[in-house]
Amino acid sequence: MEKFIGRFAFLKARWPERVICLLLLALFLVSLVPLLGIGMYAFPRTDDFSYGLPTHQAWLETGSISAVFSAAIQEAARTYREWQGTFPAAVLMALQPGVFGDAYYAATPFIMVGALTLSTLFFCRAFFHRFLGASRTRARIIALVWLLVDMQMLPAAWEGFYWYNGAIYYTFFYSLSLFLFGFALLAILENKTGRRRVYAFLACLFGAIVGGGNYPTALLSTLVLVLMAVLLAIGKNARWRSLLPALLFLLASFLLSIVAPGNAVRGAYYEGAGVLSSIVKSIYFAFGCFGDWLTFPLLLVLVFLCPILWAMAREARFSFCYPLLVAVISFGLFAAQACPSYYAMNSYGPTRFHDIMYYSYIFLLVLNIYYVMGWAMRKYEIRPKRQMAARRPGYSWALAGFLCIALAVSCYYQRDDIELTSVNAARSLLSGEAAQLGRETQARQALLNDASMASVELEAYTVCPEVLLGEHDGGADAGNTPEILAAYYGKESVTIR
């Protein structure tokens, strides 16, 4: 048995963390090439036109940035009265890049991927480095792994990165919530008064914006800040007061969004579930997501992170006394994101909403593995015969056991083959499918932007790259009705044959 244990001794050695971090950074940058490259063929669709109509007209008539922003605010006010209360989101929806020219719509994936990358790196530094005490290198490793999983195995990358209206409402506001959490943590941890005030101010600013964004993110942000304040108060840490301004700004914006007259108008189109029913259905939905998303590739990623998380837990200053409570709270936060959708529409929401749940799902898995490792490690160390126990390669056993469990669970939960976003994008680029879409889009836009033509007849798209447009029954034309196109481009009529 001792010889068998000795075979795993190499797992106890310290990893060359800086080399791993650099390799992960290189892999991340390489993965961005096809992911962003195919974005040049993205084009506005459906709500991009409806929300962008007034700002597009303002730009054509005046060529003034200030006029465009004024039109965006007026559109948000109209939306607040007639459809939904998420007023900061409505302003950003009206500012889709295509309103300044169809070619600028290609900036969409750069905006979304950039926001997600910067916010994840910032939050991981604040949480894992400043709060948990991990080294900056380890925090970066976790951030890069998190980003790679988010971007490559996202449930609906086409809505999360390439469709502006859907991505700005979910992925972008989720990214803003990470900035909110990061600044809230720094406001608690910072000892210098000046810096602490700056962090508190920035947390207030992001709280006001996030509170008026999509309801799942606003609700989750509220619950997280309340939880942080309660835990600090229970621990008799006076710094909980530093969270109050940000929490008040978040709640004020959230409540202002909830009481919007437009919500009642929109609610008339749907039959929502009650409060208790929404909670029960959200929990059921969250369990389903947990099983569907716990794939073999993800389990391998978690195993890859185990040495880093083990080292972090070993050096942490926490007692790790409540693993079950942490798991229950984590799952509750995860499931709570689905409550607004069930309450308003009695459904689990669009796939772009699933994207932000997936982002949080990865983080909560990593957090719980870290906490369970810390709990098991401290429980193991307090056993009798501590000196003898210390000589045993407990870490090797833990990692080997976790690997076995991961493989067993993956065999049960594995449903379909996982296709990475960058691989899918590269396939469309190399096959010429994306270029064909680009040529057809340019031909259409040339006709639509021709002021001499009052009526336009367009050829139907012949290709529909999945990474850009999803699996639409109507192909690339799904949702782009002739009426929307005619209104946006100022035509008397548009037909698609």
Side-chain angles (χ1 to χ4, degrees), residues 425-447:
R427 181 180 295 111
S428 292
L429 289 168
L430 294 173
S431 67
E433 181 185 41
Q436 177 64 25
L437 178 70
R439 288 190 292 269
E440 295 178 4
T441 300
Q442 288 179 352
R444 280 185 166 205
Q445 291 172 346
L447 294 174

Side-chain angles (χ1 to χ4, degrees), residues 230-271:
V230 169
L231 291 177
L232 288 171
I234 292 175
K236 298 181 180 180
N237 188 330
R239 292 286 178 90
W240 67 271
R241 296 185 181 90
S242 300
L243 292 175
L244 288 183
L247 183 57
L248 290 175
F249 273 88
L250 174 64
L251 283 173
S253 183
F254 192 16
L255 291 174
L256 188 61
S257 176
I258 291 174
V259 301
N263 288 336
V265 176
R266 184 172 184 173
Y269 289 88
Y270 303 97
E271 184 177 352

Side-chain angles (χ1 to χ4, degrees), residues 91-272:
V91 172
L92 294 178
M93 287 176 181
L95 294 174
Q96 60 102 344
V99 303
F100 303 102
D102 293 327
Y104 294 109
Y105 194 83
T108 296
F110 289 88
I111 295 171
M112 305 311 161
V113 170
L116 182 62
T117 301
L118 292 176
S119 62
T120 301
L121 290 170
F122 172 74
F123 172 75
C124 285
R125 179 171 180 177
F127 183 78
F128 292 106
H129 174 57
R130 291 294 301 275
F131 179 58
L132 296 184
S135 68
R136 292 182 182 181
T137 301
R138 289 172 178 170
R140 289 168 186 155
I141 289 174
I142 294 174
L144 289 169
V145 170
W146 188 7
L147 283 168
L148 281 166
V149 174
D150 282 348
M151 294 181 184
Q152 299 304 320
M153 294 190 282
L154 200 62
W158 67 276
E159 288 187 315
F161 301 135
Y162 302 105
W163 180 36
Y164 180 88
N165 187 272
I168 202 74
Y169 192 56
Y170 286 100
T171 292
F172 189 80
F173 271 87
Y174 162 82
S175 301
L176 296 184
S177 72
L178 290 186
F179 280 115
L180 168 61
F181 299 149
F183 284 123
L185 278 172
L186 293 176
I188 297 170
L189 299 171
E190 183 57 54
N191 292 322
K192 295 182 178 180
T193 304
R195 289 185 179 181
R196 187 165 66 250
R197 289 175 179 173
V198 171
Y199 293 142
F201 169 77
L202 291 172
C204 291
L205 176 62
F206 279 94
I209 299 173
V210 170
N214 70 76
Y215 293 114
T217 299
L219 176 60
L220 178 64
S221 300
T222 302
L223 294 175
V224 170
L225 289 192
V226 169
L227 179 62
M228 290 170 62
V230 169
L231 291 177
L232 288 171
I234 292 175
K236 298 181 180 180
N237 188 330
R239 292 286 178 90
W240 67 271
R241 296 185 181 90
S242 300
L243 292 175
L244 288 183
L247 183 57
L248 290 175
F249 273 88
L250 174 64
L251 283 173
S253 183
F254 192 16
L255 291 174
L256 188 61
S257 176
I258 291 174
V259 301
N263 288 336
V265 176
R266 184 172 184 173
Y269 289 88
Y270 303 97
E271 184 177 352

Side-chain angles (χ1 to χ4, degrees), residues 1-13 310 380 388-400:
M1 180 62 70
E2 291 297 327
K3 292 182 178 180
F4 177 77
I5 294 174
R7 294 178 182 177
F8 295 92
F10 74 97
L11 296 173
K12 298 179 67 178
W310 183 271
Y380 182 75
M388 182 179 296
R391 292 196 298 268
R392 295 176 182 173
Y395 169 70
S396 302
W397 277 109
L399 182 56

Side-chain angles (χ1 to χ4, degrees), residues 12-25:
K12 298 179 67 178
R14 184 184 178 108
W15 285 33
E17 295 172 358
R18 292 185 180 179
V19 175
I20 291 174
C21 187
L22 289 174
L23 291 174
L24 285 172
L25 177 60

Side-chain angles (χ1 to χ4, degrees), residues 333-485:
L333 293 173
F334 175 66
Q337 296 174 89
C339 287
S341 181
Y342 278 106
Y343 183 76
M345 301 183 295
N346 195 22
S347 75
Y348 50 73
T351 51
R352 52 191 176 275
F353 157 63
H354 301 173
D355 288 345
I356 62 172
M357 286 198 70
Y358 190 77
Y359 300 144
S360 62
Y361 172 77
I362 303 303
F363 170 75
L364 292 173
L365 279 180
V366 171
L367 177 63
N368 277 271
I369 292 172
Y370 164 80
Y371 198 94
V372 168
M373 282 183 168
W375 168 80
M377 189 182 303
R378 279 144 185 79
K379 186 176 180 63
Y380 182 75
E381 289 177 350
I382 62 173
R383 289 182 177 181
K385 299 181 181 180
R386 186 175 303 173
Q387 296 299 324
M388 182 179 296
R391 292 196 298 268
R392 295 176 182 173
Y395 169 70
S396 302
W397 277 109
L399 182 56
F402 183 85
L403 179 60
C404 293
I405 294 173
L407 291 172
V409 172
S410 68
C411 292
Y412 176 79
Y413 281 113
Q414 189 69 20
R415 298 289 189 272
D416 302 311
D417 294 334
I418 304 297
E419 185 166 46
L420 304 182
T421 304
S422 291
V423 174
N424 198 332
R427 181 180 295 111
S428 292
L429 289 168
L430 294 173
S431 67
E433 181 185 41
Q436 177 64 25
L437 178 70
R439 288 190 292 269
E440 295 178 4
T441 300
Q442 288 179 352
R444 280 185 166 205
Q445 291 172 346
L447 294 174
L448 291 168
N449 288 308
D450 189 343
S452 65
M453 301 180 65
S455 298
V456 174
E457 185 174 293
L458 305 177
E459 296 290 337
Y461 281 109
T462 62
V463 292
C464 183
E466 181 182 348
V467 72
L468 281 181
L469 301 165
E471 297 178 351
H472 284 301
D473 293 336
D477 282 310
N480 284 342
T481 63
E483 293 77 15
I484 291 178
L485 294 172

